Amino acid sequence: MKRVYNFSAGPSCLPVEVLQKAADEMVSYGDSGMSVMEMSHRSSYFKDILAEAKSLYKELMNVPDNYEILFLQGGASTQFAMVPLNLLSKSNKADFMVTGSWAKKAYQESARYGEAKVIASSEDKTFSYIPKVDSKDFTPDADFFHICVNNTIYGSRFRPDNLPDTGDVPLVGDMSSNILSEVYDVSKFGLIYAGAQKNMGPAGVTAVIIRKDLIGHAKDITPTMLNYKIHADNDSCYNTPPCYGIYICKLVYEWVKAKGGVAAMEKINKEKAKKLYDFIDNSKLFTAPVVPEDRSIMNVTFVTGSDELDALFVKESKKAGMENLKGHRSIGGMRASIYNAMPMAGIDTLIDFMTKFEKENA
Ligand code: PMP
């Protein structure tokens, strides 16, 4: 069986053990005599899968009891609308930090439904840092304050100890590309959302962790399917949920738990990222554009400084068994997405290849 090192930003590599377990259970799940893809979402089999997924996610993320977990559809992009439709309930104002393209999209979508204010942006330096902010600049009566915790395209992140202190204003975090990668204190957030397709499962599932008091205040115009209350009241089964995707998420949660949980993931993720950044920082050819203190440990961006060499790197790395190292089409260069399922051997293979490439091209 051929497996490559897949550095895709998402959908991205999943643990082989998870894929194998899914393969084993593909045709008949347990004693059900049918695939999870074929079973009713109202069946006891699926109800158990959903309950187990929820409980494992709660445990892994250390979610306090006053939060609800929802498994929704529509990707993180739907949350860009769902968050303002549900949370803009008092002042109709929200604050945003624009630290990348996804953060900007969230801001632009919110501006359709209420007053949206950019508190800080790092666009002046191609989103290569997380701006320092002063809470004096925050809107005191904002209904929420939105950040994109990990900026997938540019490769920066808000460290867990560097989240803006928004006081009583609920902090909303897009954690699509760093969910389950490092320990964040959920109680610092009012709401966390994440598209599953990077670190949690397949595309099609969006996991939302929302503080219970933020549920039930949706604007009248909110479509039923975009109302958190509808999904909370129906335990994510108001309509047919993304059943198979939720099942794969459950397998990923079991895998993370077996590895020692998010803290254990964080330890190995930091080792992986450090090894790669250290190599880049000592290289004569490659540079990492993001300032060291704000670097993502999930998406490592780097460049050679020459578009031709970048293109050659992407082409040659593919031949060497590494896929999807091309940077996002909006910024070029290279990006190695090194999610939980990327083993250290993948990092070592990449560094060996970069060493060789540098010798030949520096
Ligand atoms: N937010 C972040 C941080 C992302 O990386 C992405 C996808 N790359 C999105 C939002 C959009 O996600 P989706 O495609 O699930 O709508």
Side-chain angles (χ1 to χ4, degrees):
M1 179 187 56
K2 182 190 166 198
R3 289 280 296 172
V4 295
Y5 287 119
N6 177 10
F7 292 94
S8 170
S12 30
C13 59
L14 286 169
V16 181
E17 297 92 320
V18 165
L19 298 174
Q20 275 163 347
K21 179 108 200 273
D24 290 346
E25 295 179 335
M26 169 64 82
V27 177
S28 177
Y29 177 78
D31 63 358
S32 70
M34 63 178 92
S35 169
V36 175
M37 266 186 244
E38 302 171 299
M39 59 181 55
S40 164
H41 59 296
R42 312 276 175 211
S43 65
S44 62
Y45 289 106
F46 184 72
K47 286 235 172 318
D48 288 349
I49 290 171
L50 179 64
E52 187 63 13
K54 212 167 143 175
S55 131
L56 282 165
Y57 192 44
K58 183 172 196 282
E59 180 184 341
L60 290 172
M61 292 289 290
N62 200 14
V63 179
D65 289 338
N66 59 327
Y67 286 73
E68 188 65 65
I69 290 171
L70 307 171
F71 293 107
L72 308 177
Q73 306 195 50
S77 301
T78 297
Q79 293 308 306
F80 298 165
M82 216 162 155
V83 167
L85 281 168
N86 285 267
L87 268 53
L88 286 176
S89 61
K90 295 184 196 101
S91 66
N92 209 33
K93 296 179 206 162
D95 285 346
F96 290 79
M97 284 179 73
V98 174
T99 54
S101 311
W102 299 113
K104 194 172 184 177
K105 284 195 168 139
Y107 155 68
Q108 288 166 335
E109 188 69 14
S110 212
R112 297 164 57 103
Y113 304 109
E115 242 179 85
K117 181 177 169 194
V118 177
I119 293 300
S121 164
S122 47
E123 196 161 11
D124 58 335
K125 291 186 181 157
T126 332
F127 299 119
S128 57
Y129 67 103
I130 300 294
K132 305 260 179 298
V133 286
D134 188 332
S135 53
K136 285 202 304 292
D137 300 328
F138 300 177
T139 306
D141 62 342
D143 286 330
F144 67 92
F145 187 113
H146 183 279
I147 58 169
C148 181
V149 184
N150 187 77
N151 298 284
T152 326
I153 296 175
Y154 300 90
S156 68
R157 87 186 196 284
F158 287 83
R159 294 184 318 273
D161 63 357
N162 187 33
L163 298 171
D165 181 0
T166 58
D168 289 337
V169 175
L171 180 64
V172 174
D174 176 355
M175 290 185 62
S176 295
S177 49
N178 71 335
I179 197 78
L180 302 172
S181 67
E182 144 177 61
V183 178
Y184 283 83
D185 181 353
V186 172
S187 73
K188 291 197 170 148
F189 294 85
L191 191 153
I192 291 171
Y193 63 89
Q197 68 271 22
K198 297 159 199 305
N199 221 6
M200 195 157 59
V205 183
T206 312
V208 171
I209 302 173
I210 179 170
R211 221 175 56 210
K212 287 180 181 166
D213 61 284
L214 299 174
I215 299 173
H217 314 288
K219 287 178 182 292
D220 289 344
I221 58 156
T222 306
T224 307
M225 275 297 289
L226 299 190
N227 191 329
Y228 291 124
K229 184 163 166 43
I230 295 286
H231 295 290
D233 287 350
N234 291 281
D235 197 17
S236 300
C237 284
Y238 168 70
N239 71 328
T240 318
C243 302
Y244 197 77
I246 293 171
Y247 156 72
I248 299 289
C249 288
K250 179 190 88 102
L251 297 185
V252 171
Y253 300 152
E254 285 169 352
W255 180 84
V256 173
K257 186 175 172 177
K259 294 273 172 203
V262 178
M265 286 291 138
E266 172 175 334
K267 187 167 177 289
I268 174 86
N269 285 332
K270 284 186 170 162
E271 285 165 15
K272 278 155 48 185
K274 182 176 184 325
K275 207 179 212 183
L276 189 48
Y277 283 122
D278 281 352
F279 173 81
I280 295 167
D281 289 339
N282 288 307
S283 159
K284 287 191 203 61
L285 180 63
F286 302 103
T287 50
V290 176
V291 299
E293 64 271 24
D294 298 331
R295 285 174 177 174
S296 168
I297 58 170
M298 293 282 96
N299 310 99
V300 177
T301 51
F302 56 99
V303 293
T304 62
S306 144
D307 289 348
E308 290 75 40
L309 274 186
D310 287 355
L312 183 68
F313 182 93
V314 172
K315 194 168 144 215
E316 297 286 319
S317 60
K318 201 174 162 72
K319 284 192 209 149
M322 284 163 285
E323 292 285 338
N324 295 310
L325 281 163
K326 194 171 188 301
H328 190 269
R329 58 187 186 282
S330 60
I331 53 162
M334 278 77 71
R335 169 176 55 177
S337 294
I338 52 172
Y339 298 117
N340 289 350
M342 175 60 66
M344 187 61 95
I347 310 296
D348 291 337
T349 305
L350 174 58
I351 291 176
D352 287 350
F353 175 78
M354 290 169 83
T355 308
K356 184 168 156 278
F357 190 88
E358 178 171 329
K359 273 206 193 96
E360 289 167 2
N361 296 286

